[in-house]
Amino acid sequence: MVSEHVITSAAQVLVASNRGPVSYALSEDGSISARRGGGGLVSGLSAVEDKLWVCAALGDGDRVAVRRGIAEPGVRMLDIDADVHADAYNGIANSVLWFVHHMLYQTPLEPVFDAEFRRQWASFEAYNLAFAQALAEEAGEGAAVLVQDYHLALVPGMLRDLRPDLRIGHFSHTPWAPVDYFRLLPDDIAEQLLRGMLGADRVGFLTRRWADAFTACCTEVLGGTGRTRTGVHGLGADADFLRRRAHEADVDERMAILREQVGGTGRKTIVRVDRTELSKNIVRGLLAYRELLNTRPQWRERVVHVAFAYPSRQDLAVYREYTAEVQRLADDINEAYGTPDWTPVLLHVNDDFARSLGAYRLADVALVNPIRDGMNLVAKEVPVVSDQGCALVLSREAGAYEELGADAIVVNPYDVSATAVALHEALTMPDGERAERSKRLAAAATALPPQRWFLEQLEALRRD
Ligand code: F6P
């Protein structure tokens, strides 16, 4: 049965995600400019024909573009009411679902599931329905639809009701919560989320651990996963793109500036690059660095912590406070330990991809210590790009641990003292060992490049 929805085009492969591959900026003179993003899906989709990407308008520029009929070929941006979108994205997706899957609540006081939560949940349903309806209109007969992430967890079930002929996949880029934590959610909401996802023929995860957690939740809450299959697809780094991009002139320039800021001859670098994201554990990373300088004063003036923390989700007060705490702690460390010739922490908060690649290239140590992370591509990218090979200090709670753990120095992300010891170990790793480990890390990190990652999912969806 094809529902009463009018099929307006006949795309055979559709992707749906909150954030799309393009965003629009509105300048003061009223003109609109497009900015194209990158990432695994962009590169994966580039390999297929008859495709459509359905995404949400996120800011004013996007909304104006939609209303003026400005669109990239192959992209349909949904102009969902701004308040509904804010409730769904900030209120539910990022303040509830993200917190559940990353286990971020301070449970004595939160979460609180009250009438306000129910109001926001209704917006989340409306936002998911808008996606399901758009996909139902756009998909050709029997098309494959790949729905992305926790924002759109209800879409597969809604779309299945509208278009039973479609092959529907869902992919989670986040971890999945353990059963006991998932059950913080009100029972009916937990059930609705799982049933929404199980509307898919296939649900995909970045690691076996997250797939098993999802299955365990389905078993506990619903008694099983029904006919839905689960798959694991560990997105890897895009080696060809990174190696080429990291040697362009703008990266060389940024590297020269960074080298100057690091200063000193033979000074080592501990590099981290993250969004200012609660789950990335930037504050404990700084605490560990401070403990290193305290307990092993031989490192003073001999190492610099290059920390890039790019603004993220600044509509949420808790993210703004976290960003301020990162800044405050970096300033404290610089004040307490800095000398006229040495700034212990180089903190940059303005997003600059070329500078990030420059930092990757000169990293002696990469610090990747998230509380919990679906994968963490930085852990995979630094070894690929670094000039001399880098030692990787890696949280066992990052998805990347499954593939990179053997050649990383592994830490419990809550254990600041152990992280300080790990940093010392990483800084003192003999050059030969570091280069060897880095080579193996790079090989593991690039095992499943983005295009293959995407095409494997598509094939599995059409086959299973
Ligand atoms: O990887 C999880 C994810 O939520 C993606 O869906 C998203 O694009 C990314 O993190 C960044 O988050 P946001 O889109 O909220 O800025």
Side-chain angles (χ1 to χ4, degrees), residues 19 89 94 98 149-151 173-174 275 313:
R19 189 177 291 282
Y89 173 67
N94 289 343
W98 184 269
D149 249 343
Y150 57 102
H151 315 89
H173 297 258
T174 61
R275 295 185 292 114
R313 303 184 186 169

Side-chain angles (χ1 to χ4, degrees), residues 17-20 58 89-90 94 98 102 148-151 172-175 206 275 277 280 311-313 319 373-375:
S17 64
N18 174 66
R19 189 177 291 282
L58 300 181
Y89 173 67
N90 288 320
N94 289 343
W98 184 269
H102 293 84
Q148 309 299 312
D149 249 343
Y150 57 102
H151 315 89
S172 292
H173 297 258
T174 61
L206 287 164
R275 295 185 292 114
E277 163 54 57
K280 300 293 182 186
S312 180
R313 303 184 186 169
Y319 277 72
D373 210 332
M375 174 56 78

Side-chain angles (χ1 to χ4, degrees), residues 44-201:
L45 252 194
S46 66
V48 299
E49 311 254 307
D50 296 336
K51 61 207 172 189
L52 182 74
W53 192 321
V54 178
C55 58
L58 300 181
D60 290 343
D62 287 357
R63 287 177 202 287
V64 172
V66 176
R67 287 171 203 167
R68 288 189 194 163
I70 298 169
E72 294 281 301
V75 177
R76 177 167 166 193
M77 211 174 238
L78 304 179
D79 184 5
I80 296 166
D81 176 86
D83 292 336
V84 171
H85 185 267
D87 284 345
Y89 173 67
N90 288 320
I92 300 295
N94 289 343
S95 298
V96 177
L97 303 182
W98 184 269
F99 272 58
V100 167
H101 290 314
H102 293 84
M103 302 168 65
L104 293 174
Y105 285 121
Q106 308 208 7
T107 51
L109 293 176
E110 51 176 17
V112 172
F113 296 118
D114 55 4
E116 173 59 8
F117 166 76
R118 293 283 165 177
R119 193 192 60 72
Q120 294 187 333
W121 184 259
S123 294
F124 185 71
E125 290 174 319
Y127 155 88
N128 273 256
L129 188 60
F131 270 85
Q133 285 171 336
L135 292 163
E137 281 166 20
E138 302 281 0
E141 184 70 29
V145 182
L146 294 123
V147 179
Q148 309 299 312
D149 249 343
Y150 57 102
H151 315 89
L152 303 180
L154 304 180
V155 167
M158 291 170 165
L159 184 57
R160 170 75 59 218
D161 288 344
L162 296 169
R163 291 286 306 273
D165 61 298
L166 300 175
R167 301 297 295 167
I168 304 173
H170 184 281
F171 193 85
S172 292
H173 297 258
T174 61
W176 192 271
V179 178
D180 288 349
Y181 208 88
F182 186 71
R183 300 207 75 185
L184 291 180
L185 290 166
D187 291 353
D188 61 319
I189 300 292
E191 205 176 301
Q192 195 183 342
L193 277 170
L194 296 174
R195 287 199 195 285
M197 302 244 317
L198 293 178
D201 296 290

